Coordinates of all heavy atoms in Angstrom, one line a residue:
V1363 N 14.4 -21.0 19.5 CA 13.9 -20.2 18.3 C 12.5 -19.6 18.4 O 12.3 -18.5 18.1 CB 13.9 -21.2 17.0 CG1 13.3 -20.5 15.8 CG2 15.4 -21.6 16.7
V1364 N 11.6 -20.4 19.1 CA 10.3 -19.8 19.3 C 10.3 -18.7 20.2 O 9.6 -17.7 20.0 CB 9.4 -21.0 19.9 CG1 8.0 -20.4 20.4 CG2 9.2 -22.1 18.8
V1365 N 11.2 -18.6 21.2 CA 11.3 -17.5 22.1 C 12.0 -16.3 21.5 O 11.7 -15.2 21.7 CB 11.8 -17.9 23.5 CG1 12.2 -16.8 24.4 CG2 11.0 -18.9 24.1
A1366 N 13.1 -16.6 20.8 CA 14.1 -15.6 20.3 C 13.5 -14.9 19.1 O 13.8 -13.6 19.0 CB 15.4 -16.2 20.1
V1367 N 12.9 -15.5 18.2 CA 12.3 -14.9 17.0 C 11.4 -13.7 17.3 O 11.5 -12.6 16.8 CB 11.8 -15.9 16.0 CG1 11.0 -15.2 14.9 CG2 12.8 -16.8 15.5
P1368 N 10.4 -13.9 18.2 CA 9.5 -12.7 18.5 C 10.3 -11.6 19.2 O 10.0 -10.4 18.9 CB 8.5 -13.3 19.4 CG 8.4 -14.7 19.2 CD 9.8 -15.1 18.8
L1369 N 11.3 -11.9 20.0 CA 12.0 -10.8 20.7 C 12.9 -10.1 19.6 O 13.0 -8.8 19.7 CB 12.9 -11.4 21.7 CG 12.2 -12.1 22.9 CD1 13.3 -12.7 23.9 CD2 11.3 -11.1 23.7
Y1370 N 13.5 -10.8 18.7 CA 14.3 -10.2 17.6 C 13.4 -9.3 16.7 O 13.8 -8.2 16.4 CB 14.9 -11.3 16.8 CG 15.5 -10.9 15.6 CD1 16.8 -10.2 15.5 CD2 14.9 -11.2 14.3 CE1 17.2 -9.8 14.3 CE2 15.5 -10.7 13.1 CZ 16.6 -10.1 13.1 OH 17.2 -9.7 11.9
W1371 N 12.2 -9.8 16.4 CA 11.3 -9.1 15.5 C 10.8 -7.8 16.2 O 10.7 -6.8 15.6 CB 10.1 -10.0 15.2 CG 9.0 -9.2 14.4 CD1 9.1 -8.8 13.1 CD2 7.8 -8.8 15.0 NE1 7.9 -8.2 12.8 CE2 7.1 -8.1 13.9 CE3 7.2 -8.9 16.2 CZ2 5.8 -7.6 14.1 CZ3 6.0 -8.3 16.4 CH2 5.3 -7.7 15.3
T1372 N 10.5 -7.9 17.5 CA 10.1 -6.7 18.3 C 11.2 -5.6 18.3 O 10.9 -4.4 18.1 CB 9.7 -7.1 19.7 OG1 8.6 -8.1 19.6 CG2 9.3 -5.9 20.5
L1373 N 12.4 -6.1 18.5 CA 13.5 -5.1 18.6 C 13.8 -4.4 17.3 O 13.9 -3.2 17.3 CB 14.8 -5.8 19.2 CG 16.0 -4.9 19.5 CD1 15.6 -3.9 20.6 CD2 17.1 -5.7 19.9
I1374 N 13.8 -5.1 16.2 CA 14.3 -4.6 14.9 C 13.0 -3.8 14.4 O 13.3 -2.7 13.7 CB 14.6 -5.6 13.9 CG1 13.6 -6.6 13.6 CG2 15.9 -6.4 14.4 CD1 13.8 -7.5 12.5
T1375 N 11.9 -4.2 14.7 CA 10.7 -3.4 14.2 C 10.5 -2.1 14.8 O 10.0 -1.1 14.3 CB 9.4 -4.2 14.3 OG1 9.6 -5.5 13.6 CG2 8.3 -3.5 13.6
S1376 N 10.9 -1.9 16.1 CA 10.9 -0.6 16.9 C 11.7 0.4 16.2 O 11.5 1.6 16.5 CB 11.2 -0.9 18.3 OG 12.5 -1.4 18.5
F1377 N 12.7 0.0 15.4 CA 13.6 1.0 14.8 C 13.2 1.3 13.4 O 13.9 2.0 12.7 CB 15.1 0.6 14.9 CG 15.6 0.5 16.3 CD1 15.7 -0.7 17.0 CD2 16.1 1.7 16.8 CE1 16.2 -0.7 18.2 CE2 16.6 1.6 18.2 CZ 16.6 0.5 18.9
K1378 N 12.1 0.7 12.9 CA 11.6 0.9 11.5 C 10.6 2.1 11.5 O 9.9 2.3 12.5 CB 11.0 -0.3 10.9 CG 11.9 -1.5 10.8 CD 11.2 -2.6 10.1 CE 12.2 -3.8 9.9 NZ 11.5 -5.0 9.2
A1379 N 10.6 2.8 10.4 CA 9.7 3.8 10.1 C 8.3 3.3 9.8 O 8.2 2.2 9.2 CB 10.1 4.8 9.0
Q1380 N 7.2 4.0 10.2 CA 5.9 3.4 10.0 C 5.6 3.2 8.5 O 4.9 2.3 8.1 CB 4.9 4.3 10.7 CG 3.5 3.8 10.6 CD 2.4 4.7 11.2 OE1 2.8 5.8 11.6 NE2 1.2 4.3 11.3
N1381 N 6.0 4.2 7.7 CA 5.6 4.1 6.2 C 6.4 3.0 5.5 O 6.0 2.6 4.4 CB 5.9 5.4 5.6 CG 7.3 5.9 5.8 OD1 8.1 5.2 6.4 ND2 7.6 7.1 5.2
R1382 N 7.5 2.4 6.1 CA 8.2 1.4 5.5 C 8.0 0.0 6.2 O 8.7 -1.0 5.8 CB 9.7 1.7 5.5 CG 10.0 2.9 4.7 CD 11.5 3.2 4.8 NE 11.9 4.4 4.0 CZ 13.1 4.8 3.8 NH1 14.1 4.2 4.4 NH2 13.4 6.0 3.2
Y1383 N 7.1 0.0 7.2 CA 6.9 -1.3 7.9 C 6.4 -2.3 7.0 O 6.9 -3.5 7.0 CB 6.1 -1.0 9.2 CG 5.6 -2.3 9.8 CD1 6.6 -3.1 10.5 CD2 4.3 -2.6 9.8 CE1 6.1 -4.3 11.1 CE2 3.9 -3.8 10.4 CZ 4.8 -4.6 11.1 OH 4.4 -5.8 11.6
Y1384 N 5.3 -2.1 6.3 CA 4.6 -3.1 5.5 C 5.3 -3.4 4.2 O 4.9 -4.4 3.6 CB 3.1 -2.6 5.3 CG 2.3 -2.5 6.5 CD1 2.0 -1.3 7.1 CD2 1.7 -3.7 7.0 CE1 1.3 -1.3 8.3 CE2 0.9 -3.6 8.1 CZ 0.7 -2.5 8.8 OH -0.1 -2.3 9.9
A1385 N 6.2 -2.5 3.8 CA 6.9 -2.7 2.5 C 8.2 -3.4 2.7 O 8.8 -3.7 1.6 CB 7.1 -1.3 1.8
S1386 N 8.6 -3.8 3.8 CA 9.9 -4.4 4.1 C 9.7 -5.9 4.7 O 8.6 -6.2 5.1 CB 10.8 -3.6 5.0 OG 10.1 -3.5 6.3
N1387 N 10.8 -6.6 4.6 CA 10.7 -8.0 5.2 C 10.6 -7.8 6.6 O 11.5 -7.1 7.2 CB 12.0 -8.7 4.7 CG 11.9 -10.2 5.1 OD1 11.1 -10.6 5.9 ND2 12.6 -10.9 4.4
P1388 N 9.8 -8.5 7.3 CA 9.6 -8.3 8.8 C 10.8 -8.8 9.5 O 11.0 -8.4 10.7 CB 8.3 -9.1 9.2 CG 8.1 -10.0 8.0 CD 8.7 -9.3 6.8
L1389 N 11.5 -9.7 9.1 CA 12.7 -10.3 9.8 C 14.0 -9.7 9.3 O 15.1 -10.2 9.8 CB 12.8 -11.8 9.6 CG 11.5 -12.6 10.1 CD1 11.7 -14.1 9.9 CD2 11.4 -12.3 11.6
V1390 N 14.0 -8.7 8.5 CA 15.3 -8.1 8.0 C 15.4 -6.7 8.8 O 14.4 -5.9 8.6 CB 15.3 -7.9 6.5 CG1 16.6 -7.2 6.1 CG2 15.3 -9.3 5.9
P1391 N 16.5 -6.4 9.3 CA 16.6 -5.0 10.0 C 16.5 -3.9 8.9 O 16.8 -4.1 7.8 CB 17.9 -5.1 10.7 CG 18.3 -6.5 10.9 CD 17.6 -7.2 9.6
S1392 N 16.0 -2.8 9.4 CA 16.0 -1.6 8.5 C 17.4 -1.1 8.1 O 18.2 -1.1 8.9 CB 15.2 -0.5 9.1 OG 15.1 0.7 8.3
G1393 N 17.4 -0.7 6.8 CA 18.7 -0.1 6.4 C 19.0 1.2 7.0 O 20.2 1.6 7.1
D1394 N 18.0 2.0 7.3 CA 18.1 3.3 7.9 C 17.3 3.3 9.3 O 16.2 3.8 9.2 CB 17.7 4.4 7.0 CG 16.4 4.2 6.3 OD1 15.9 3.1 6.5 OD2 15.8 5.2 5.7
P1395 N 17.8 2.8 10.3 CA 17.0 2.8 11.6 C 16.8 4.1 12.1 O 17.6 5.1 11.9 CB 17.9 1.9 12.5 CG 19.3 2.1 11.9 CD 19.1 2.2 10.5
T1396 N 15.7 4.3 12.7 CA 15.2 5.6 13.3 C 14.7 5.5 14.7 O 14.3 4.4 15.1 CB 14.2 6.2 12.4 OG1 13.7 7.4 13.0 CG2 12.9 5.3 12.4
L1397 N 14.9 6.5 15.5 CA 14.5 6.6 16.8 C 13.2 7.4 16.9 O 12.8 7.8 18.1 CB 15.6 7.3 17.8 CG 16.8 6.5 17.9 CD1 17.9 7.3 18.7 CD2 16.6 5.1 18.5
E1398 N 12.5 7.6 15.8 CA 11.3 8.4 15.8 C 10.2 7.7 16.6 O 9.4 8.4 17.3 CB 10.8 8.6 14.3 CG 9.6 9.5 14.2 CD 9.8 10.9 14.6 OE1 11.0 11.4 14.6 OE2 8.8 11.6 15.0

């Protein structure tokens, strides 16, 4: 869990928009992922 959670958080956060990063749950994937 200690190893997998940071990897999971890194991957899902890379698909989030910058303006919605602080307003969303950090461990929940974005509803509208982006490649921006």
Side-chain angles (χ1 to χ4, degrees):
V1363 172
V1364 170
V1365 174
V1367 169
L1369 297 178
Y1370 167 76
W1371 173 76
T1372 301
L1373 186 61
I1374 65 173
T1375 306
S1376 64
F1377 292 99
K1378 292 182 179 180
Q1380 183 182 7
N1381 54 1
R1382 297 182 181 180
Y1383 168 69
Y1384 293 100
S1386 61
N1387 190 339
L1389 296 180
V1390 176
S1392 176
D1394 50 348
T1396 177
L1397 296 176
E1398 184 65 23

